[in-house]
Structures are given as structure tokens and as C-alpha cells.
Amino acid sequence: MFCVSSSLARNTVGREGTIPANYVQKREGVKSGGKLSLMPWFHGKITREQAERLLYPPETGLFLVRESTNYPGDYTLCVSCDGKVEHYRIIYHNGKLTIDEEEYFENLMQLVEHYTKDADGLCTRLIKPKLMEGTVAAQDEFSRSGWALNRKELKLLQTIGKGEFGDVMVGDYRGTKVAVKCIKNDATAQAFIAEASVMTQLRHNNLVQLLGVIVEERGSLYIVTEYMAKGSLVDYLRSRGRTVLGGDCLLKFSLDVCEAMEYLEANNFVHRDLAARNVLVSDDNIAKVSDFGLTKEASSTQDTAKLPVKWTSPEALREKRFSTKSDVWSYGILLWEIYSFGRVPYPRIPLKEVVPRVEKGYKMDAPDGCPPVVYDLMKQCWTLDPVVRPSFRMLREKLQHIRAKELYL
């Protein structure tokens, strides 16, 4: 006989009863951020001697993986066994990993999972990982904080988007329609763990809501979010155009995004990639900011190699300085996208000329039909000195004032 932990719950009509406790586990934000690891046993570039010191005192089945010192590009599996440490070269061959050239694996997570179940030629099966100092196993942290979902309860239905990182699919989780980012590659999945941990800390009606995370031992990561039926804002604007969407609708989208950004501002988060392509539209026409892949706590720096030039502020491009005020610049570009019904910013200007012209004070013209008061807000967002740009709170108050005036006209 087995027992499932249960909790007392009340339904919408006030009747009480018990339900499994895992249905109502209290959730908290995942705070470990950069320390979360899908591969906490991976120690990177350490020497053979360092690995042996880490695996002391000897404990059969204690293991770690390091980069190979003798064969760059390969790895080494170090396993404590009967009082000494064995080192197994992991060969990278034709995009796959192998120890014995009989079993091949897509990634290190699959390889480790295989040898935890069966020694299969090693001196012992892998029993206990030696965690790299300062790391936390991602699966454990998502489970502890209440964000781990059960893979068996998720049905993947159809692909709605393909990216360089993996597929976005429509799924069903316990009868609810959901969107699922499916990331297969372990290195890429590691980057998305940071996105998921940020999303656990954020809750606002105009941010796409994380529902949970599934980490599979074989290296796959599923990030499950609410399903946004009408797709990205840029596609929504382009497909409907000015014959369908009136000024009130454009103003509502502008306010939706501004309110989400005011919330991030108040909580000291910087989005870094705000654009109409990263805003999604729900079935009931609510715009919600998504794609927190670059989101970091405020005022940090990052590599600018892959930044979207037309949406990124001059100081972020030049000095890698990101702040809420660099998000405000991007918001001005997003406003221009909304009022031009999804046009690409800086039309007819070659990409290489955009930054030099902007740094000399160039500002885009108002989109056709854009109210002067809204265009004025765009220009305030594009002030070269970030200190002078308005806050999202100020922008939201001005947009609400514009909307109130329009409603009375």
C-alpha cells in the first residue's frame, strides 16, 4: 500500500476536500540564476591532478567530467573506484560522444545518464556526482521551488515555430493549452535555464507567464508557458493593418507593453531585447512581453555581437551598458513599430549607416497617421543621454492621459 501526500482545498463554490499536495505546492522564485546547472558534475578545464583531489576521499562511484587536457575538444570522465581514480577519454566523433566506440551519445547528459544505470565496461557505474563548487542542480532547484512539471502529463501537439535553439510547440498540460519551448542541445539548454529562472520571479498580466519547467536526464529542456493564440505583435500588426486596427487598439497595445516594462523597472530587471517580435498577443487581445533570454538584473554588461542594432540604444551598442533607460530606447522603437503596423525601423537606411546617423541625433519620422503626442513620446525615448529619457512610469502615465483624452473626444 502507498500513500499520496494530500492537502485540504476549497473549490469555487466553497466545498472542501483533499487533493494531492503536489497540485498546490507553494511556488517561490528560483534565485540561483547563473549557478543553476544542468550538468553540475561538469568542471570544465581542470587538470588530471585537480580532478583526483576533488574525488578524494575515495568513494566508489563518485564521478566528475572535465575537458580533456591532452585531446582538446574531447572530455574525460573521472571515476573513483576501489580507492583510486580512473580516467576515461570521451571522444567527440562525427558530432557524437563515445567512450568505447560502441555506444554513441548526443551529449554529455545522455552519456552520464547511461553509465549511471549500467557500468557497461567502466570499473563501476556512476553513483554520485561531484558537484562543481557554487553550482546547484537545476532539476533539484526547480523541484524544490515548485516549478518542475511532470513530463508524462505534457502532450506535445504541433510545431508552431522553429528557431536556432529548438522548436516552439503547442501542447496540452492537464487539459490546458500551453506553449512549449523544446531545447534539445545541452549547452543551449543551459543558457535557457537562466531564462526560466528569471521567469519564476516575474508575475504580471502583461508578461507571458511561465507555467513550469521539465528537465529530462537525457539533456532535453521544456519551458512551458501560457499559450498566446494570436502570435507575435509584429505579425499581428502586419496581417491586420490600419483597415482593421484603430487608434484605440494601437494605444492599448502600447500601454500593455509599457505596464509590463514598468513592472520590470520596479523590480530592477532589464529586458535587453524589447521589440514587437518579442511581444505576443493573447486570444482576448492583451499584449504580453516575452522572450526573457537576455533579461538580467539591472545595469549589467554583455557581449554585443548578436544585438539587434535597430532596437538597441547607442550606449548599449557602444559601451555594453544596459539599464532600464536602454529598454526605454527600445520601447520608443517598438512604439514606432506599432504605429507603422509592423514596418522594419529605419526604412531605406542601410544597416551600417544606422548607428552613425543615430549618434549624430537622427530620429525617424513619425509613421503615417501617428498622433503627434505619441510621436513626441517616441522622440523622448530616443534622447541620446540616457539620464534624460523618461522612466516607464512616466511613459505609462502619459499614455493613460492620452487614452483618457481620446475616450472623451
Side-chain angles (χ1 to χ4, degrees):
M1 185 172 173
F2 65 95
C3 175
V4 176
S5 170
S6 62
S7 296
L8 196 64
R10 184 181 287 114
N11 70 7
T12 50
V13 293
R15 292 175 63 182
E16 287 190 347
T18 57
I19 59 171
N22 63 327
Y23 276 48
V24 293
Q25 180 179 349
K26 185 177 185 308
R27 290 180 151 191
E28 55 186 82
V30 172
K31 299 287 190 202
S32 300
K35 294 177 184 173
L36 286 187
S37 178
L38 288 170
M39 305 184 292
W41 34 257
F42 181 65
H43 289 247
K45 286 183 179 171
I46 60 168
T47 64
R48 182 187 182 99
E49 292 72 26
Q50 285 172 314
E52 289 179 355
R53 280 200 297 274
L54 286 166
L55 296 174
Y56 187 87
E59 181 182 340
T60 294
L62 186 66
F63 73 94
L64 61 82
V65 178
R66 61 182 171 88
E67 290 182 30
S68 173
T69 43
N70 296 332
Y71 303 94
D74 288 352
Y75 303 98
T76 304
L77 172 63
C78 311
V79 192
S80 182
C81 184
D82 296 333
K84 62 181 192 294
V85 175
E86 300 288 348
H87 300 263
Y88 297 93
R89 180 182 169 193
I90 301 171
I91 303 164
Y92 189 73
H93 182 69
N94 289 339
K96 299 269 179 91
L97 299 171
T98 184
I99 288 177
D100 56 13
E101 298 192 38
E102 289 179 15
E103 288 275 357
Y104 286 84
F105 306 94
E106 296 287 333
N107 55 48
L108 287 173
M109 290 173 73
Q110 283 186 18
L111 181 143
V112 165
E113 187 212 6
H114 174 79
Y115 289 107
T116 55
K117 291 177 177 163
D118 187 343
D120 198 14
L122 303 187
C123 59
T124 174
R125 74 180 182 85
L126 308 180
I127 298 168
K128 182 179 171 186
K130 175 66 181 178
L131 303 190
M132 186 174 174
E133 192 175 345
T135 61
V136 180
Q139 176 64 38
D140 295 348
E141 183 60 19
F142 283 116
S143 297
R144 184 199 64 74
S145 55
W147 291 95
L149 301 183
N150 185 341
R151 176 67 181 91
K152 290 178 180 145
E153 295 185 90
L154 175 68
K155 293 191 194 82
L156 297 174
L157 304 174
Q158 68 185 86
T159 303
I160 53 172
K162 281 187 177 290
E164 57 182 306
F165 304 122
D167 296 343
V168 179
M169 301 188 75
V170 178
D172 180 290
Y173 190 76
R174 290 183 181 168
T176 300
K177 202 172 190 180
V178 294
V180 189
K181 270 186 187 171
C182 310
I183 298 119
K184 296 282 191 286
N185 176 294
D186 54 354
T188 307
Q190 179 60 50
F192 275 89
I193 282 289
E195 173 177 352
S197 68
V198 165
M199 292 179 77
T200 67
Q201 299 171 53
L202 306 172
R203 190 171 293 267
H204 188 276
N205 192 45
N206 296 112
L207 294 175
V208 172
Q209 181 59 49
L210 176 73
L211 301 177
V213 176
I214 297 165
V215 181
E216 285 196 327
E217 288 177 330
R218 293 179 63 79
S220 294
L221 172 70
Y222 301 92
I223 297 177
V224 183
T225 63
E226 64 179 310
Y227 175 65
M228 302 292 283
K230 294 186 176 175
S232 79
L233 179 58
V234 73
D235 291 340
Y236 186 87
L237 293 163
R238 286 172 183 171
S239 62
R240 285 155 182 84
R242 67 183 71 242
T243 52
V244 177
L245 303 174
D248 56 335
C249 188
L250 302 184
L251 200 51
K252 167 74 166 50
F253 285 149
S254 304
L255 253 173
D256 283 350
V257 175
C258 195
E259 288 183 13
M261 296 309 298
E262 183 186 2
Y263 170 82
L264 291 183
E265 175 180 74
N267 286 280
N268 212 30
F269 280 98
V270 179
H271 189 285
R272 302 171 165 222
D273 196 13
L274 185 61
R277 64 183 171 275
N278 289 332
V279 175
L280 301 178
V281 183
S282 71
D283 203 28
D284 50 355
N285 281 5
I286 296 172
K288 304 194 183 198
V289 174
S290 77
D291 231 306
F292 301 94
L294 295 175
T295 309
K296 291 270 167 47
E297 298 218 1
S299 298
S300 53
T301 60
Q302 73 166 66
D303 176 33
T304 54
K306 292 185 176 178
L307 288 172
V309 169
K310 291 183 174 185
W311 283 264
T312 306
S313 70
E315 76 278 2
L317 288 170
R318 190 176 57 246
E319 302 156 39
K320 303 184 182 180
R321 273 199 300 130
F322 288 83
S323 65
T324 291
K325 292 303 179 76
S326 58
D327 276 350
V328 166
W329 179 285
S330 305
Y331 178 73
I333 305 291
L334 184 142
L335 276 181
W336 190 92
E337 288 184 277
I338 290 174
Y339 279 86
S340 65
F341 295 89
R343 286 186 74 190
V344 176
Y346 301 100
R348 295 180 295 281
I349 297 179
L351 186 60
K352 66 177 186 298
E353 289 181 24
V354 170
V355 176
R357 288 181 68 166
V358 164
E359 289 193 322
K360 285 179 186 150
Y362 173 80
K363 292 179 173 67
M364 284 186 285
D365 293 336
D368 290 345
C370 175
V373 281
V374 175
Y375 180 54
D376 191 51
L377 287 188
M378 292 179 203
K379 289 191 290 186
Q380 288 177 41
C381 294
W382 301 332
T383 307
L384 286 174
D385 182 354
V387 177
V388 183
R389 287 174 211 153
S391 66
F392 280 110
R393 183 178 177 182
M394 287 167 61
L395 288 165
R396 191 256 308 152
E397 287 171 352
K398 287 179 179 179
L399 286 167
Q400 282 180 331
H401 183 66
I402 293 166
R403 195 174 187 212
K405 281 178 74 174
E406 286 201 354
L407 289 173
Y408 284 113
L409 289 177

